[in-house]
């Protein structure tokens, strides 16, 4: 597929590299320009381009890996994106930490529903519920015992199917998590969020989500990270997320 990844940070860079390795035609654009894209992101054939030059016409998929709440800055760019192009949102809302508080979301609007409104077009929610380290190091071929799963939510059956195939291509079992309105169940810090679950384990975790409790756990992240000491490992962070729901 022809894929444009907007955002070259930990998540966007990982996805550009993984999708290129899987054989897709990938270009990646970051806010700091093509020279800031890490060399390892491009080793498998992904191409770094200026954001202004990122092709949106003739692309099958656009992956948004940008900070939550800034998608409106791309509304003009997305005005020319064809309706059939699948747009995937990977962002997460951390008010006061990674984002300014957003009243609509604080009052209950689902994160990716808010992003879709900013863009003026539908999106699919995927890859947001796996840590960058998980995405980078723990993807394995389909059929591998214990393969980790990633939830995918969206209103279009076809767009959700495309996103699920790409999740599979990056080394994880895709799970159909329903409509975009249901994607709050994979937001921070739900039982399904960054807890490294298998396809058998993920449905129960999504069902156990509690909006008020999960938001409180999300907002306690600085204290919980500090309690882990300096330089927590990936396993430390996963265990911290799991422990919050025990």
């Amino acid at each position: 597929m022809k894929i444009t990844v907007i955002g070259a940070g930990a998540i966007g860079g990982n996805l550009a590299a993984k999708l290129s390795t899987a054989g897709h035609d990938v270009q990646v654009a970051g806010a700091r320009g093509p020279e800031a894209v890490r060399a390892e992101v491009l080793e498998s054939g992904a191409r770094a381009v200026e954001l202004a030059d990122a092709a949106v016409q003739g692309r099958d998929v656009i992956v948004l890996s940008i900070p939550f709440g800034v998608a409106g800055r791309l509304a003009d760019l997305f005005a020319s994106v064809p309706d059939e192009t699948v747009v995937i949102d990977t962002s997460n809302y951390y008010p006061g930490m990674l984002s300014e508080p957003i009243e609509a979301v604080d009052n209950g609007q689902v994160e990716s529903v808010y992003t879709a409104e900013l863009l003026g077009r539908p999106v699919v929610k995927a890859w947001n519920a796996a840590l960058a380290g998980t995405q980078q190091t723990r993807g394995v071929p389909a059929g591998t015992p214990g393969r980790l799963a990633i939830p995918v939510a969206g209103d279009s059956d076809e767009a959700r199917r495309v996103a699920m195939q790409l999740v599979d291509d990056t080394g994880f079992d895709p799970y159909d998590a329903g409509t975009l309105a249901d994607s709050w169940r994979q937001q921070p810090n739900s039982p399904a969020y960054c807890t490294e679950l298998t396809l058998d384990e993920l449905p129960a975790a999504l069902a156990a989500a509690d909006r008020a409790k999960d938001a409180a756990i999300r907002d306690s992240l600085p204290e919980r990270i500090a309690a882990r000491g300096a330089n927590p490992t990936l396993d430390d962070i996963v265990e911290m997320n799991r422990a919050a729901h025990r």
Side-chain angles (χ1 to χ4, degrees):
M1 303 185 81
K2 294 180 179 178
I3 301 171
T4 294
V5 179
I6 298 179
I11 300 296
N14 280 345
L15 294 177
K18 293 276 188 179
L19 293 169
S20 180
T21 298
H24 298 289
D25 176 352
V26 179
Q27 59 178 16
V28 55
R32 294 183 296 161
E35 65 280 357
V37 178
R38 304 187 313 276
E40 59 267 27
V41 172
L42 309 177
E43 289 174 353
S44 298
R47 305 179 307 284
V49 298
E50 294 281 359
L51 180 57
D53 298 329
V56 293
Q57 298 287 340
R59 308 303 285 180
D60 301 303
V61 176
I62 299 175
V63 179
L64 276 182
S65 288
I66 59 177
F68 183 80
V70 305
R73 301 176 192 173
L74 300 176
D76 289 345
L77 178 68
F78 273 80
S80 62
V81 174
D83 290 344
E84 61 270 19
T85 301
V86 176
V87 180
I88 303 174
D89 173 34
T90 74
S91 68
N92 291 301
Y93 178 49
Y94 280 92
M97 290 176 273
L98 301 180
S99 170
E100 293 299 317
I102 297 171
E103 184 177 3
V105 182
D106 288 339
N107 288 338
Q109 187 170 30
V110 176
E111 290 176 4
S112 285
V113 172
Y114 178 79
T115 295
E117 288 187 359
L118 291 180
L119 288 177
R121 62 170 298 126
V123 302
V124 178
K125 185 82 160 182
W127 287 299
N128 75 295
L131 293 161
T134 299
Q135 293 182 32
Q136 185 175 34
T137 65
R138 295 185 175 173
V140 294
T144 301
R147 194 186 200 211
L148 301 179
I150 288 178
V152 178
D155 294 335
S156 162
D157 291 345
E158 176 59 18
R160 204 163 59 246
R161 183 197 65 78
V162 169
M164 290 175 69
Q165 179 58 60
L166 294 179
V167 166
D168 190 33
D169 288 345
T170 59
F172 300 89
D173 281 337
Y175 178 77
D176 188 334
T179 67
L180 202 63
D182 291 329
S183 66
W184 65 269
R185 295 183 178 276
Q186 65 197 69
Q187 291 177 182
N189 262 88
S190 71
Y193 179 79
C194 298
T195 49
E196 293 193 349
L197 303 176
T198 66
L199 200 58
D200 290 337
E201 297 167 326
L202 186 57
L206 290 167
D210 179 307
R211 297 184 85 162
K213 176 183 175 182
D214 298 342
I217 293 171
R218 174 201 67 196
D219 293 344
S220 71
L221 180 62
E223 293 81 7
R224 291 185 294 118
I225 286 284
R228 291 276 160 176
N231 302 315
T233 66
L234 174 59
D235 287 335
D236 289 335
I237 300 302
V238 172
E239 174 54 27
M240 177 189 72
N241 291 335
R242 291 175 175 176
H245 297 280
R246 292 193 182 116

